[in-house]
Amino acid sequence: MAPGLLWLTVLMIVPCLLIFVLIFFERGTYGGIDWSVATLGNFTRAFDPLYLSILLDSARIALTATIIALLIDYPAAYAIMKAPERWQTSLLFLAILPFWTNYLIRTYAWIVLLNPVGVINNVLTYVGAISQPLPLLYNEFAVILGLVYNYTPFVILAIYSALQRLDPSYAEASRDLGATAVTTFFKITLPLTAAGVSAGAVFVFVLSIGNFITPDLLGGGKMQMIGNLIYDQFLTARDWPFGATLSGLLIALMMIALLMQAVASGRARGDHHA
Amino acid sequence: MKFKHIPAFIAGSAFALMASISAAQAEKLVIATWDGYTPKDMVEKFKAATGIDLELTMHATNEEIMGKVTASGGEGYDIIFVSSPFAEALKKLDMLAPIDHAKIPNFANLYPEASQLKHDPGNTYSVPYTWGTTGLCYRSDLVKAEPTSWNDLLKPSDELKGKITMLATDRWLMAAAFLADGLSVNTADQANLDKVRDQLVATKKDLLAYDDTTFYSKLVSGEATLVHAWDGWCNYGTAENAKIKYMIPKEGSDLWVDTLVIPKAAKNLDAAHKFIDFIFNAENGKWVVENIMYKVPNKAAMDSVDKAMLTSYPNIAIPPADLLKYEQLRDLGDGMKAFSKTVSEIMAAK
Amino acid sequence: MPRLLKAHLGVTFAFLYIPIAVLIVLSFNRAGMPTAWSGFSVEWYGKLASNPKILASAWNSVIVATISATIATVLGTLLALGVERARPSPARDALLFAPMIVPDIVLAIALLSFFTLLKFTLGLHSIILAHVVFNIAFVCAVVRARLKGFDWSLTEVSRDLGAGHFVTFRKITLPLILPSVIAAALLAFTLSIDEFIIAYFTAGAGQASTTLPMQIYSMIRFGVTPEINAMASIVMAISFALVLLAQRLNHGRIPGA
């Protein structure tokens, strides 16, 4: 056990703590870190409305992607669960398979599909549905689509696992007592699978909010999310301490999301026993 | 061997293996450059001329290589290709070796203007590789009126909306708006920053994208009709479609200079100087003009270029004396904080 | 309702696979522009095979993924065995969970700052060190899932019969968990070979530490060419084959599930 824990401590915990140390120093005049003066300046800077708004905007985009992913993936997972037993494994496998190919390539595929002279606009123009190409790429729509697409397989998996663990007798009992299928779904199935839903949701949210590639490639440089801002601070502005401060802020925000998930799943488990 | 030592043993051997991987690749002149920026057969020719092996490593942007170099202290590189403001920052970080002109006889090939560059008069720590202007590149068959001013880009007419791009690199992005307002491209004065911020935020709504790598192909495909461009890259578009033209707005341009620098940590200073001398021979300079379609500060090379190139790509014919009229981008030092905050404001704007 | 559900599932699968299918189809497109069909051709695959930079970066990725997956599999498996037998510790569980959810960019810059501070020379080895971090967590999770139903009395019996720790591990524990260990190793390999941001920040100077995703990123940044489509198709084919293999070994379960 020790070598593994040591590895994580030295190469994850210590570097992350270093981030929190860097917060208290300033950028040198020409970049890098000026170790000579400790300061709280980065804190006040990070709480500038500008940077907070970028953080909140990232949270909003991540949340939108999360909700859309759940709306698509819950019914999809449910459909897989309702499929004949012998098909389920294959369907689930098919749903998860895209997750295992390169993220950059999956994102790039959407550039090919969405760009003004891309596949979708070409097809729509060809069938005469549009005369001017639709602005599908390089905007928030493309970024959210990219996030939903990339994380959909995982969300289906998380929800399917929760559905599978569900005892079918609850739903049967509900139906026997005269509840409609819709009522049964909303009163029994959905609450009892809340833990799986929240696991999937947190996953999408956390990976989306810190995402760098999707806004970079599908946002056409016009979308600034917190991940891009951190990247820019490190490489473009060469202001490592401020980049570290923003990372610290992001870590804090994620902790909150995780805490909320823990509370939510704790409550879901509590309901189950009640 | 006891069971509990196995992981330590495996980790140990893995480390030894990793160390050998890294060590095996150290005995070369390592050149950090942009992809496709040097002659294709340069490695072979340099080897034939000097017996020295070259290893080329590619960076996509100045920012990327700056990140690597500041992280490593310059270690691992012998020559770095960077744009002049970045060369200036590296110099101020005390990471560059002085250029020894005695070891570079081919300096004689350069225009006198090449040693009058404001960021480094006399080429003490950097040598210019290519230079040029930043302006507008457009599809003359698709725009209703030929552009004349930076404002044609910043305040696009309705037909251009959604079909323009601006450079993504922050310094050049801001420079377009500074120039439009008759300001210095190196100002970090808050009032000036606020002024151009408002303009660039307004322009952002009409942009297709910020793009500094594929804008010319967006012109070729027709995705864009007017783009903010470096002259040489506009020529790539012109090469595929002669209707693609370049112009310098009436308010002027900046003078960009891509330079070669030698980090202090370079392993082989002599070989690095030999490389610079090699790059400055007329033949290599000519290759750059004919293949990359950039201007070079190398008179011998420019004189040997096929005159037809100058008619097909008029911006190659801009004389050095004219280039020097434009202001170069300089490192902003402490002004960078205010500058980068302004850029973040633009990027965050809807 | 069920018909509607079925239709929804169909649409979801279309959403998942159309982009992939389009890339594969376009990789056989003759024209230089990848967005309009102009005849069947395999020339982009040929171009790919003769591009030394792509081949070198692919090889680098294989080295990084093989070594980091090997180290992570050994350390992660031992970790899983230890954790499952030790008293539950929320702090330790958090430590094991963290690498899976810390944003890549945060871990990347943390490691870059750390390595820079130590004046540690960057190269392929620093990417490997970094990749082991998240791989340990994933391997540990996969193996732990398998150990959940593990009957520890078997190892006790073995030890009662006089077998040492190592013999017990080799003869009893390992054979029982082997499929999940192999699945975890394949998972780690796949994660490492696909990882971009951490590699981008922790890579050293030069082509010598450029990995395939870094190469793909710069190709995408520098424009849409059919070469990327061809490469995407190959990369997808290989990852799909690996996952299929992992799934077979893990008794029909998808690793990580």
Side-chain angles (χ1 to χ4, degrees):
Chain A
M1 196 153 83
L5 291 178
L6 187 69
W7 197 294
L8 293 182
T9 308
V10 173
L11 287 160
M12 185 184 68
I13 301 297
V14 174
C16 285
L17 289 177
L18 176 63
I19 288 284
F20 285 95
V21 173
L22 285 183
I23 292 174
F24 299 98
F25 294 89
E26 279 279 332
R27 174 191 194 261
T29 302
Y30 303 105
I33 304 150
D34 179 359
W35 293 105
S36 60
V37 230
T39 164
L40 289 173
N42 288 312
F43 266 117
T44 40
R45 227 179 124 195
F47 286 101
D48 183 295
L50 166 66
Y51 300 113
L52 282 183
S53 77
I54 293 175
L55 190 63
L56 288 178
D57 222 32
S58 311
R60 182 182 57 77
I61 290 172
L63 195 65
T64 313
T66 307
I67 292 169
I68 296 174
L70 290 179
L71 289 177
I72 294 175
D73 301 341
Y74 198 104
Y78 195 76
I80 295 177
M81 209 254 315
K82 288 282 172 194
E85 195 93 34
R86 64 201 152 84
W87 285 100
Q88 287 192 19
T89 312
S90 306
L91 285 174
L92 187 65
F93 181 72
L94 215 57
I96 301 168
L97 192 57
F99 197 64
W100 295 114
T101 189
N102 191 290
Y103 189 98
L104 288 163
I105 286 173
R106 277 181 286 154
T107 305
Y108 161 77
W110 284 102
I111 299 182
V112 173
L113 285 171
L114 297 177
N115 82 64
V117 291
V119 176
I120 292 176
N121 272 314
N122 278 352
V123 169
L124 289 179
T125 312
Y126 183 77
V127 301
I130 51 170
S131 57
Q132 279 289 311
L134 299 171
L136 300 171
L137 189 59
Y138 307 132
N139 50 34
E140 193 172 303
F141 163 77
V143 173
I144 291 174
L145 179 67
L147 293 171
V148 170
Y149 178 74
N150 277 305
Y151 300 130
T152 271
F154 186 88
V155 179
I156 292 182
L157 173 66
I159 296 174
Y160 174 82
S161 309
L163 285 168
Q164 212 188 19
R165 279 196 295 270
L166 191 68
D167 188 339
S169 60
Y170 286 107
E172 277 162 32
S174 161
R175 220 89 50 80
D176 290 347
L177 292 171
T180 64
V182 175
T183 314
T184 304
F185 176 80
F186 282 103
K187 295 272 179 186
I188 305 289
T189 312
L190 195 56
L192 288 181
T193 49
V197 172
S198 70
V202 164
F203 178 85
V204 181
F205 182 80
V206 161
L207 291 180
S208 297
I209 196 170
N211 205 295
F212 160 77
I213 295 171
T214 309
D216 185 53
L217 293 179
L218 300 181
K222 291 192 291 184
M223 299 287 303
Q224 174 95 317
M225 284 176 69
I226 185 81
N228 309 76
L229 184 61
I230 294 172
Y231 177 95
D232 284 347
Q233 288 304 319
F234 261 74
L235 293 185
T236 310
R238 303 198 299 285
D239 191 340
W240 290 26
F242 190 56
T245 311
L246 295 168
S247 306
L249 213 59
L250 178 57
I251 294 178
L253 197 77
M254 273 179 33
M255 297 285 202
I256 296 173
L258 285 176
L259 212 64
M260 278 165 55
Q261 195 254 341
V263 172
S265 65
R267 195 180 299 154
R269 229 170 286 142
D271 286 348
H272 192 84
H273 290 300
Chain B
M1 186 168 39
K2 275 217 181 120
F3 170 50
K4 64 177 180 181
H5 294 290
I6 290 180
F9 171 74
I10 292 177
S13 357
F15 265 109
L17 185 60
M18 286 189 279
S20 66
I21 292 166
S22 304
Q25 285 142 348
E27 306 144 357
K28 283 178 178 172
L29 202 56
V30 180
I31 317 281
T33 180
W34 287 281
D35 205 354
Y37 211 35
T38 48
K40 286 204 169 56
D41 54 358
M42 181 178 76
V43 175
E44 293 77 26
K45 282 200 173 152
F46 187 67
K47 169 96 174 163
T50 62
I52 301 167
D53 278 319
L54 289 184
E55 184 195 325
L56 299 185
T57 107
M58 308 302 168
H59 49 266
T61 59
N62 282 306
E63 287 77 15
E64 184 187 336
I65 190 65
M66 284 298 284
K68 288 273 173 253
V69 172
T70 26
S72 72
E75 198 124 352
Y77 300 98
D78 298 292
I79 293 273
I80 302 166
F81 285 64
V82 277
S83 300
S84 64
F86 298 90
E88 199 178 347
L90 287 173
K91 170 63 182 170
K92 293 194 171 142
L93 287 167
D94 198 26
M95 290 170 79
L96 299 183
I99 304 287
D100 184 349
H101 289 234
K103 288 181 183 159
I104 309 175
N106 278 335
F107 245 116
N109 285 341
L110 301 197
Y111 290 108
E113 284 86 353
S115 58
Q116 295 162 14
L117 295 166
K118 289 285 186 323
H119 77 280
D120 182 20
N123 310 111
T124 59
Y125 61 85
S126 68
V127 300
Y129 179 65
T130 52
W131 56 9
T133 60
T134 314
L136 300 176
C137 185
Y138 60 100
R139 279 282 292 260
S140 57
D141 54 334
L142 296 179
V143 295
K144 284 209 181 99
E146 308 267 315
T148 57
S149 153
W150 282 110
N151 285 319
D152 293 328
L153 176 74
L154 296 170
K155 299 171 180 145
S157 59
D158 285 341
E159 46 128 7
L160 291 173
K161 283 181 178 161
K163 294 190 163 180
I164 52 174
T165 72
M166 290 189 78
L167 293 173
T169 307
D170 54 1
R171 294 297 306 278
W172 276 285
L173 170 66
M174 297 283 279
F178 287 142
L179 287 166
D181 285 341
L183 297 167
S184 159
V185 294
N186 292 307
T187 176
D189 177 76
Q190 196 58 53
N192 291 341
L193 289 173
D194 289 348
K195 193 172 167 198
V196 301
R197 177 199 59 211
D198 294 342
Q199 177 58 58
L200 289 170
V201 166
T203 308
K204 188 179 175 185
K205 296 184 178 67
D206 299 323
L207 283 188
L208 173 65
Y210 292 111
D211 187 345
D212 49 14
T213 45
T214 56
F215 49 81
Y216 67 92
S217 32
K218 289 194 168 99
L219 285 179
V220 174
S221 70
E223 283 168 81
T225 50
L226 173 70
V227 303
H228 182 198
W230 295 296
D231 43 14
W233 283 45
C234 182
N235 292 340
Y236 297 167
T238 312
E240 287 189 47
N241 181 341
K243 297 272 165 51
I244 294 175
K245 291 184 177 163
Y246 177 80
M247 61 87 57
I248 297 173
K250 60 180 187 226
E251 299 90 349
S253 166
D254 70 295
L255 162 60
W256 60 258
V257 183
D258 285 346
T259 68
L260 275 69
V261 296
I262 307 174
K264 260 189 180 166
K267 295 266 174 350
N268 193 341
L269 289 176
D270 262 342
H273 281 88
K274 274 188 194 143
F275 177 77
I276 293 178
D277 190 54
F278 174 76
I279 273 297
F280 279 172
N281 74 32
E283 192 194 343
N284 282 317
K286 182 169 182 252
W287 182 92
V288 173
V289 182
E290 290 181 348
N291 293 277
I292 322 237
M293 299 194 264
Y294 277 28
K295 289 172 283 303
V296 294
N298 188 326
K299 184 168 190 301
M302 292 301 285
D303 289 346
S304 66
V305 167
D306 183 357
K307 294 292 169 279
M309 288 267 326
L310 307 184
T311 13
S312 311
Y313 308 103
N315 65 53
I316 294 179
I318 302 174
D322 284 4
L323 288 178
L324 253 64
K325 285 182 198 150
Y326 302 124
E327 191 184 9
Q328 274 181 268
L329 293 175
R330 305 291 301 276
D331 184 75
L332 295 176
D334 283 330
M336 195 63 198
K337 260 187 199 166
F339 181 90
S340 86
K341 185 179 174 210
T342 305
V343 174
S344 296
E345 284 170 345
I346 298 165
M347 292 302 151
K350 293 275 178 321
Chain C
M1 178 75 178
R3 195 177 303 158
L4 213 65
L5 265 183
K6 245 185 237 169
H8 177 83
L9 189 61
V11 172
T12 309
F13 277 127
F15 172 59
L16 284 174
Y17 283 94
I18 284 176
I20 292 174
V22 164
L23 276 196
I24 295 175
V25 170
L26 287 177
S27 72
F28 294 104
N29 189 10
R30 186 178 303 136
M33 289 298 283
T35 45
W37 184 257
S38 63
F40 182 86
S41 156
V42 289
E43 73 169 285
W44 301 108
Y45 287 88
K47 283 234 164 101
L48 208 59
S50 57
N51 183 331
K53 268 186 289 189
I54 290 174
L55 297 180
S57 62
W59 179 238
N60 283 340
S61 278
V62 169
I63 292 175
V64 168
T66 308
I67 301 180
S68 77
T70 308
I71 299 175
T73 305
V74 174
L75 299 187
T77 303
L78 292 173
L79 197 52
L81 287 167
V83 170
E84 281 303 304
R85 266 180 295 188
R87 211 178 308 148
S89 148
R92 194 178 48 217
D93 283 346
L95 177 64
L96 293 176
F97 187 50
M100 297 195 256
I101 51 133
V102 171
D104 296 350
I105 187 109
V106 172
L107 189 57
I109 58 148
L111 283 163
L112 176 66
S113 310
F114 180 62
F115 288 147
T116 305
L117 195 69
L118 295 181
K119 302 216 183 312
F120 186 82
T121 309
L122 301 177
L124 273 192
H125 58 279
S126 45
I127 306 178
I128 295 172
L129 290 175
H131 278 190
V132 171
V133 172
F134 61 78
N135 272 341
I136 285 184
F138 281 99
V139 168
C140 182
V142 172
V143 177
R144 275 180 80 178
R146 172 78 183 178
L147 286 171
K148 283 276 186 265
F150 192 75
D151 186 357
W152 293 106
S153 62
L154 285 173
T155 61
E156 278 159 36
V157 170
S158 158
R159 245 157 315 135
D160 288 348
L161 293 172
H165 279 284
F166 184 58
V167 173
T168 306
F169 176 77
R170 203 168 59 91
K171 296 270 183 189
I172 308 289
T173 319
L174 190 60
L176 283 171
I177 61 167
L178 193 61
S180 69
V181 171
I182 297 176
L186 289 171
L187 168 66
F189 183 88
T190 318
L191 287 173
S192 173
I193 216 159
D194 279 350
E195 201 286 326
F196 165 65
I197 294 178
I198 296 173
Y200 182 79
F201 274 88
T202 56
Q207 201 66 42
S209 56
T210 300
T211 63
L212 189 60
M214 288 158 73
Q215 184 70 38
I216 295 175
Y217 180 74
S218 94
M219 284 170 75
I220 295 176
R221 281 298 296 266
F222 277 92
V224 172
T225 82
E227 236 172 319
I228 312 181
N229 296 338
M231 176 146 71
S233 305
I234 294 173
V235 170
M236 282 191 291
I238 294 173
S239 358
F240 289 169
L242 281 177
V243 178
L244 212 61
L245 185 64
Q247 191 227 13
R248 281 283 150 83
L249 289 165
N250 209 19
H251 297 285
R253 284 193 302 169
I254 292 95

